Amino acid sequence: MLRRSSRTPRRFLAALGVASAAALVLAGCGGTTGDEGNDATTEPGAADVPSVFGAFATPLEEPWDGAIHAALESAEEDGLITYDHTDNLHTADEMERALRDIATNQKPDIIIGDAFAAEDAVRAVATEFPDIAFAFGSGGEEQAPNFSVFDNWMQDPAYLAGMLAGGLTKSGTIGVVGAMPIPEVNRIVNGFIAGVEETNPSATVTVSFINSFFDPATAKQAAEAAIAGGADVLFAERDGVIAAAQENNLPVFGMMVDQQDQAPEHVVTSLLWNMRPTVDAVVEAVVADEFEASNLAEYSFMVNGGSSIAPINTGTAFEIPADLVEKVEAKQAEILDGSFETPINEEAPAGSTTIGE
């Protein structure tokens, strides 16, 4: 385990307990891209809490990294950490250089970010700085002694959204636009499809992958192709789909953060990823001098407050049947009490296509 040379204040641990409880009801909010790094907390006592640096591959307007950023901002607002960040490290070389610079010059207690496009580079830097706790979004396993992994295990809210989609389609065709057919995307899309099947077994779900984590123009084109093929409900696993839904007056489901404000009359709900339980677990372990490499997946499960769906939108341009909402609420209760476990399927959805470069 890692050892912090500085403090493990009791007031921090008490505050963290309150924050962890509050995290169970937090709804995610998107981050915004700003200057490279923000001003760290300078209030008295700030030195008593861990310093965290966020290193993100995409602009923070991309909801995945935005959800992590929002959780870290929330933890700083609660006085649990000091926080700085940089984003748009879109190549492995840029990520590696930035991490090495951060670790050498900033010397944070914790570095959090996403490693999907730069696994080897991020893991190499973590090896060079064993006294810093690294916690990164990753499709791989943890790496001793100091590299923990997490991911957006959002199959539960995906299933609930799929149930709604299945009940809303009139054409019997639903379109999904995702990033790429990798396990962490496949399990969300497959969870959505399984939910559709519960409320509408005869529905067809078309799946297109854009081969990018952030390419709104291509995602919109893929959504328009799905609409041309008969889809009258869309799932925006990637940014860009909501615009197509709004232009065509169709129901759509958002991703990662509550995206209702993008199309108030068309976004039915959004899958929410709440990173606070994950952040709190990492910070608590560091403060207690007990951090070691681990898989943090469980902290993203709905039962642990790590994921949910946003409140179902009552102001849409189309009717959402009350009995459909009741079915979804009943299934959510089953997920939370453990009587229903959303199936996890990480295989590429049958019949899916991949477009883009």
Side-chain angles (χ1 to χ4, degrees), residues 4-10 45-51 109 286-289:
R4 295 181 71 217
S5 59
S6 53
R7 56 283 143 192
T8 56
R10 292 180 181 175
D48 291 339
V49 300
S51 57
D109 296 301
V286 168
V287 168
D289 288 332

Side-chain angles (χ1 to χ4, degrees), residues 181 186 189-190 193 197 204-209 345-353:
N186 291 340
V189 174
N190 286 323
I193 293 170
E197 291 174 348
T204 298
V205 181
T206 65
V207 181
S208 297
F209 294 107
N345 178 359
E346 297 187 333
E347 298 297 320
S352 58
T353 59

Side-chain angles (χ1 to χ4, degrees), residues 68-113:
I68 305 171
H69 175 67
L72 291 167
E73 285 191 316
S74 172
E76 183 177 47
E77 289 170 2
D78 287 344
L80 304 181
I81 63 172
T82 61
Y83 175 52
D84 243 326
H85 72 275
T86 185
D87 67 344
N88 207 24
L89 304 171
H90 63 281
T91 69
D93 287 344
E94 288 177 335
M95 177 67 77
E96 184 173 0
R97 287 196 300 270
L99 288 178
R100 191 167 284 111
D101 179 69
I102 292 163
T104 301
N105 298 308
Q106 302 286 338
K107 297 180 173 63
D109 296 301
I110 303 166
I111 301 178
I112 294 180

Side-chain angles (χ1 to χ4, degrees), residues 207-234:
V207 181
S208 297
F209 294 107
I210 63 170
N211 205 30
S212 172
F213 289 117
F214 188 68
D215 187 349
T218 300
K220 185 180 180 184
Q221 291 172 2
E224 290 168 342
I227 295 167
D232 65 348
V233 178
L234 300 174

Side-chain angles (χ1 to χ4, degrees), residues 217-285:
T218 300
K220 185 180 180 184
Q221 291 172 2
E224 290 168 342
I227 295 167
D232 65 348
V233 178
L234 300 174
F235 173 28
E237 199 278 329
R238 287 295 104 183
D239 191 41
V241 176
I242 291 175
Q246 184 177 36
E247 290 175 8
N248 289 272
N249 197 32
L250 297 178
V252 62
F253 294 84
M255 182 67 176
M256 295 296 178
V257 296
D258 189 349
Q259 296 182 310
Q260 182 179 332
D261 61 345
Q262 291 191 23
E265 294 187 345
H266 300 90
V267 175
V268 178
T269 186
S270 300
L271 284 62
L272 302 183
W273 187 28
N274 178 21
M275 267 289 291
R276 271 303 294 270
T278 305
V279 168
D280 288 348
V282 171
V283 173
E284 183 175 12

Side-chain angles (χ1 to χ4, degrees), residues 15-335:
L16 184 57
V18 173
S20 296
L24 296 178
V25 295
L26 283 176
C29 58
T32 55
T33 305
D35 294 335
E36 182 173 316
N38 61 0
D39 293 333
T41 301
T42 57
E43 296 177 358
D48 291 339
V49 300
S51 57
V52 180
F53 208 107
F56 304 110
T58 67
L60 292 179
E61 64 190 276
E62 192 278 314
W64 206 95
D65 280 341
I68 305 171
H69 175 67
L72 291 167
E73 285 191 316
S74 172
E76 183 177 47
E77 289 170 2
D78 287 344
L80 304 181
I81 63 172
T82 61
Y83 175 52
D84 243 326
H85 72 275
T86 185
D87 67 344
N88 207 24
L89 304 171
H90 63 281
T91 69
D93 287 344
E94 288 177 335
M95 177 67 77
E96 184 173 0
R97 287 196 300 270
L99 288 178
R100 191 167 284 111
D101 179 69
I102 292 163
T104 301
N105 298 308
Q106 302 286 338
K107 297 180 173 63
D109 296 301
I110 303 166
I111 301 178
I112 294 180
D114 64 293
F116 292 105
E119 287 278 354
D120 292 343
V122 173
R123 290 171 183 269
V125 176
T127 299
E128 295 175 23
F129 297 90
D131 294 330
I132 296 176
F134 284 72
F136 271 70
S138 169
E141 297 181 352
E142 64 270 27
Q143 174 181 291
N146 64 324
F147 188 83
S148 289
V149 296
F150 60 82
D151 202 352
N152 57 323
W153 289 78
M154 298 175 69
Q155 65 275 1
D156 296 328
Y159 191 96
L160 299 179
M163 289 179 65
L164 285 165
L168 289 175
T169 181
K170 298 185 185 306
S171 69
T173 300
I174 297 164
V176 177
V177 179
M180 55 194 71
I182 55 178
E184 48 269 29
V185 176
N186 291 340
R187 64 171 170 259
I188 293 172
V189 174
N190 286 323
F192 180 86
I193 293 170
V196 170
E197 291 174 348
E198 173 159 336
T199 55
N200 194 338
S202 64
T204 298
V205 181
T206 65
V207 181
S208 297
F209 294 107
I210 63 170
N211 205 30
S212 172
F213 289 117
F214 188 68
D215 187 349
T218 300
K220 185 180 180 184
Q221 291 172 2
E224 290 168 342
I227 295 167
D232 65 348
V233 178
L234 300 174
F235 173 28
E237 199 278 329
R238 287 295 104 183
D239 191 41
V241 176
I242 291 175
Q246 184 177 36
E247 290 175 8
N248 289 272
N249 197 32
L250 297 178
V252 62
F253 294 84
M255 182 67 176
M256 295 296 178
V257 296
D258 189 349
Q259 296 182 310
Q260 182 179 332
D261 61 345
Q262 291 191 23
E265 294 187 345
H266 300 90
V267 175
V268 178
T269 186
S270 300
L271 284 62
L272 302 183
W273 187 28
N274 178 21
M275 267 289 291
R276 271 303 294 270
T278 305
V279 168
D280 288 348
V282 171
V283 173
E284 183 175 12
V286 168
V287 168
D289 288 332
E290 296 177 350
F291 181 88
E292 56 187 22
S294 65
N295 190 318
L296 301 163
E298 64 183 288
Y299 297 103
S300 287
F301 286 11
M302 182 178 284
V303 70
N304 293 321
S307 59
S308 62
I309 59 171
I312 297 172
N313 185 3
T314 59
T316 53
F318 38 83
E319 180 184 1
I320 302 176
D323 63 338
L324 177 61
V325 174
E326 290 173 0
K327 289 179 183 178
V328 171
E329 291 175 342
K331 183 62 66 175
Q332 178 174 263
E334 292 177 8
I335 292 172

